[in-house]
Amino acid sequence: MIINSTQVSYFILSAYFDTGMLKYLYFTIILCLYVLIILSNVFLIVLICVNRSLHEPMYLFLCSLFVNQLYGSTGLFPFILLQILKDVHTVSFSLCVLQIYCLYSYVQVEIINLTVMSYDRYLSICFPLQYHTRMTHNKIAVLIAVVWVYPLFKVAVARYTAVSLQLCGNIIDKIYCNNYSIVKLSCSDTTVNNINGLIDVFISICVPAMLILYSYMKILKVCFSGSKQTRHKAVSTCTPHLASLINFTLGCCFEIVQSRFNMNHVPNMLRIFLSVYFITLQPVFNPMVYGLKMSKIRVKCNHLLCGKRHLDSES
């Protein structure tokens, strides 16, 4: 169906299908998942903020990571919950652009945050005696500002070029708004957009990946030549970061493959799950892996929970 660009005021999300009364079950499951994400991430943010012993660079970067989990999941979950209950799955053009901005900036912040965390582990393990002189409070503030300000600005500029496209359709084969799906609806030449997309992928993914790889090569070199204590410190602090990085990378790869290739042979429910993996599993995975693996956070959680139980037993 050919539609003039001036008439595209909304998009149809064609990936939704009629589930009958099961939609209330899906709604409940997704709502519980969203509540779990909010409670777990807010709990750890508050825990880090109120405990001065956790006001170290590693935990401050973690706090930034948990804030991003809340930001990204809020850009998706309320939208999906609303769409599940609707009979007609449409979204306005402006709301679609806003969602794309939220999800893409979430991805960018996540990548840069994980990169900064790998740099922090590199300094901590490779330069333990100089760590506090190199990782100063001013440097922490600058790094956190870069983690947030740069992606939010860059994604805003990128979205402006996408919004200016002339569109000849309004059907998106997704359960949420996706930038590449809108680019495919364009009636005009998208060569510039594709080139910008390739440059953006290189800057946003390849550069951080090279920095993370460099950091871990240096960490491994120190571990193999260092003491048992150094190796234990590397394992205890780097394992959660690597697990989070691998989980997020897999989720993004699933989404990139789905967007670029024909996946009609894959079952619909599996396609939907893989398309939202990076935004639904990561906000649950991070609090679990960091809460269980980071000894200081685990100890503070135990003290908080055991303290409450002790007060309850006394009362």
Side-chain angles (χ1 to χ4, degrees):
M1 181 173 61
I2 304 300
I3 301 177
N4 189 286
S5 60
T6 58
Q7 295 176 335
V8 177
S9 58
Y10 67 93
F11 293 102
I12 299 171
L13 302 171
S14 62
Y16 287 96
F17 56 95
D18 185 20
T19 57
M21 296 304 292
L22 281 176
K23 68 181 180 180
Y24 298 107
L25 174 62
Y26 295 142
F27 178 89
T28 304
I29 293 171
I30 294 173
L31 179 61
C32 290
L33 182 60
Y34 184 42
V35 171
L36 176 63
I37 289 171
I38 293 174
L39 292 178
S40 58
N41 283 278
V42 168
F43 174 76
L44 290 174
I45 290 169
V46 172
L47 188 72
I48 292 171
C49 290
V50 300
N51 286 279
R52 294 188 64 84
S53 60
L54 296 180
H55 291 183
E56 298 177 13
M58 177 172 57
Y59 299 105
L60 295 176
F61 296 137
L62 260 182
C63 191
S64 173
L65 194 72
F66 296 144
V67 171
N68 191 45
Q69 310 304 308
L70 294 173
Y71 169 66
S73 57
T74 301
L76 180 70
F77 278 90
F79 178 84
I80 290 181
L81 289 171
L82 181 63
Q83 290 293 334
I84 287 175
L85 297 179
K86 290 171 64 176
D87 294 325
V88 180
H89 306 290
T90 60
V91 55
S92 67
F93 183 88
S94 57
L95 184 59
C96 192
V97 171
L98 177 62
Q99 185 179 56
I100 291 172
Y101 175 79
C102 289
L103 296 183
Y104 277 63
S105 55
Y106 155 77
V107 171
Q108 296 288 297
V109 170
E110 192 82 0
I111 292 171
I112 298 177
N113 209 135
L114 290 170
T115 305
V116 168
M117 290 172 70
S118 69
Y119 171 68
D120 174 68
R121 292 301 82 211
Y122 159 71
L123 288 183
S124 175
I125 295 167
C126 299
F127 304 96
L129 299 179
Q130 306 169 35
Y131 176 68
H132 290 292
T133 58
R134 292 192 176 206
M135 189 61 74
T136 62
H137 291 296
N138 289 337
K139 193 171 188 177
I140 295 169
V142 169
L143 288 173
I144 291 178
V146 169
V147 165
W148 284 92
V149 175
Y150 170 70
L152 294 177
F153 176 76
K154 186 173 78 69
V155 174
V157 173
R159 292 296 68 75
Y160 175 77
T161 59
V163 168
S164 61
L165 288 173
Q166 291 184 337
L167 305 180
C168 290
N170 68 338
I171 299 177
I172 298 175
D173 188 24
K174 291 277 187 181
I175 63 170
Y176 63 92
C177 292
N178 173 273
N179 184 67
Y180 188 66
S181 298
I182 293 180
V183 171
K184 288 193 294 186
L185 295 174
S186 173
C187 350
S188 57
D189 184 17
T190 60
T191 304
V192 175
N193 293 80
N194 291 331
I195 293 173
N196 288 337
L198 291 174
I199 295 173
D200 183 59
V201 167
F202 178 78
I203 294 174
S204 304
I205 297 176
C206 296
V207 172
M210 287 188 288
L211 293 174
I212 292 171
L213 183 63
Y214 175 81
S215 298
Y216 274 99
M217 285 175 61
K218 291 293 185 180
I219 290 172
L220 284 174
K221 183 179 178 181
V222 170
C223 288
F224 284 125
S225 61
S227 63
K228 183 179 179 181
Q229 184 180 3
T230 302
R231 287 194 293 272
H232 176 73
K233 179 182 179 182
V235 170
S236 62
T237 60
C238 292
T239 301
H241 178 263
L242 278 174
S244 176
L245 185 65
I246 292 170
N247 184 66
F248 185 69
T249 303
L250 286 175
C252 290
C253 287
F254 289 150
E255 174 54 16
I256 291 171
V257 168
Q258 272 210 110
S259 298
R260 302 283 172 170
F261 299 98
N262 186 358
M263 302 289 286
N264 289 332
H265 60 283
V266 179
N268 196 33
M269 287 298 295
L270 181 59
R271 275 193 296 149
I272 291 173
F273 173 75
L274 293 178
S275 70
V276 296
Y277 182 94
F278 75 102
I279 190 68
T280 56
L281 272 295
Q282 185 76 354
V284 176
F285 182 81
N286 276 344
M288 287 179 60
V289 72
Y290 283 108
L292 294 174
K293 285 291 183 180
M294 302 295 285
S295 58
K296 279 193 175 182
I297 292 180
R298 190 171 64 248
V299 167
K300 292 295 180 183
C301 288
N302 290 336
H303 284 173
L304 184 63
L305 295 175
C306 291
K308 283 188 176 181
R309 287 173 187 168
H310 180 68
L311 287 175
D312 290 340
S313 62
E314 286 185 346
S315 59

